């Protein structure tokens, strides 16, 4: 049997990814690094904090679009409940709005999945040293894009409008009047330059504002 030549103190990594094949591949590749150890794997965003409290990882590697809770929301919860854990966002969706929200949530890094695993391993080491790692092209795009023009309530209304929800449905979900919902949707449509709420939802999602 080959010996494991890991150092006495490995960097403990929590991996959150909903696609099983991708999660397994990342865990395997990161495990080949002598100073990294994947101590926990989760497929749902709402399992991240509990697992982090149990395993106490040094770095949490989070996808954004996860069932139960987004990686961005989980990053904010980790900042509150497991402040010693550094967060690195790894996503397919390199959207400027996502980067801005990740930084606001306390993430120390943001990378897209098409990079080499060596780059990811080095990013994990870098954020653990207290530094920040951001995909350079995405950082430049984020600076040019500026913050989201949507208010919190406008964004909530757009999210609730997914899957063909009616104004009445949205009002019930958000505990608002139908006229207020219409106002929020109308404002969101105008700010996104869309022709209707379906287009507005697409624009906002593509830019990472939701």
């Amino acid at each position: 049997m080959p010996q494991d030549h890991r150092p006495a103190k490995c960097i403990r990594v929590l991996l959150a990814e909903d696609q099983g094949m991708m999660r397994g591949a990342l865990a395997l590749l990161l495990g080949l690094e002598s100073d990294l150890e994947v101590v926990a794997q989760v497929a749902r965003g709402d399992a991240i904090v509990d697992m982090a409290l149990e395993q106490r990882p040094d770095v949490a590697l989070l996808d954004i679009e996860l069932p139960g809770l987004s990686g961005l929301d989980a990053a904010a919860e980790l900042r509150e409940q497991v402040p010693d854990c550094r967060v690195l966002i790894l996503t397919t969706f390199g959207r400027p709005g996502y980067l801005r929200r990740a930084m606001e949530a306390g993430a120390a890094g943001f990378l897209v999945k098409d990079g080499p695993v060596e780059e990811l391993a080095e990013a994990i080491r870098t954020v653990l040293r207290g530094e920040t790692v951001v995909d350079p092209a995405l950082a430049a795009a984020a600076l040019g894009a500026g913050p989201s023009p949507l208010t919190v309530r406008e964004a909530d209304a757009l999210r609730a409008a997914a899957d063909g929800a009616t104004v009445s449905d949205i009002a019930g979900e958000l505990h608002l009047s139908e006229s207020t919902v219409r106002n929020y949707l109308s404002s969101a449509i105008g700010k996104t330059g869309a022709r209707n709420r379906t287009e507005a939802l697409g624009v906002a999602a593509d830019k990472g504002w939701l």
Side-chain angles (χ1 to χ4, degrees):
M1 296 289 292
Q3 292 185 345
D4 189 346
H5 298 290
R6 294 178 185 277
K9 174 60 176 174
C10 279
I11 299 172
R12 295 169 58 82
V13 178
L14 180 152
L15 178 59
E17 163 65 55
D18 63 327
Q19 297 183 23
M21 187 176 294
M22 173 66 75
R23 187 173 65 251
L26 282 172
L28 179 62
L29 291 170
L30 291 175
L32 296 176
E33 300 289 323
S34 63
D35 59 338
L36 303 181
E37 181 182 5
V38 178
V39 297
Q41 300 179 46
V42 298
R44 296 182 57 86
D46 49 12
I48 291 171
V49 172
D50 286 345
M51 186 61 75
L53 288 169
E54 177 183 327
Q55 295 293 333
R56 294 291 170 176
D58 300 304
V59 176
L61 187 59
L62 311 182
D63 192 7
I64 290 180
E65 297 197 352
L66 295 167
L69 189 72
S70 77
L72 299 176
D73 291 330
E77 290 193 7
L78 283 173
R79 179 177 57 184
E80 296 295 324
Q81 299 193 45
V82 196
D84 292 337
C85 178
R86 302 282 283 172
V87 172
L88 180 58
I89 298 293
L90 181 67
T91 180
T92 304
F93 305 101
R95 296 167 179 165
Y98 278 166
L99 171 58
R100 187 177 296 275
R101 289 169 58 197
M103 297 298 104
E104 291 172 353
F110 193 108
L111 295 175
V112 291
K113 290 179 180 176
D114 59 0
V117 70
E118 294 82 9
E119 179 180 299
L120 176 59
E122 187 55 38
I124 291 172
R125 300 180 186 107
T126 300
V127 298
L128 190 60
R129 292 196 297 265
E131 301 174 41
T132 300
V133 178
V134 176
D135 180 271
L138 187 57
L143 287 174
S148 170
L150 302 176
T151 66
V152 172
R153 276 308 199 179
E154 288 165 356
D156 287 343
L158 276 183
R159 287 191 197 93
D163 301 322
T166 66
V167 169
S168 178
D169 293 334
I170 299 169
E173 180 179 339
L174 300 181
H175 307 290
L176 298 170
S177 70
E178 293 187 16
S179 61
T180 298
V181 168
R182 289 191 183 93
N183 288 338
Y184 285 141
L185 290 174
S186 177
S187 179
I189 290 168
K191 288 180 178 179
T192 56
R195 292 174 297 179
N196 53 54
R197 62 180 183 174
T198 301
E199 283 190 7
L201 181 62
V203 171
D206 187 61
K207 291 184 177 295
W209 295 339
L210 300 179

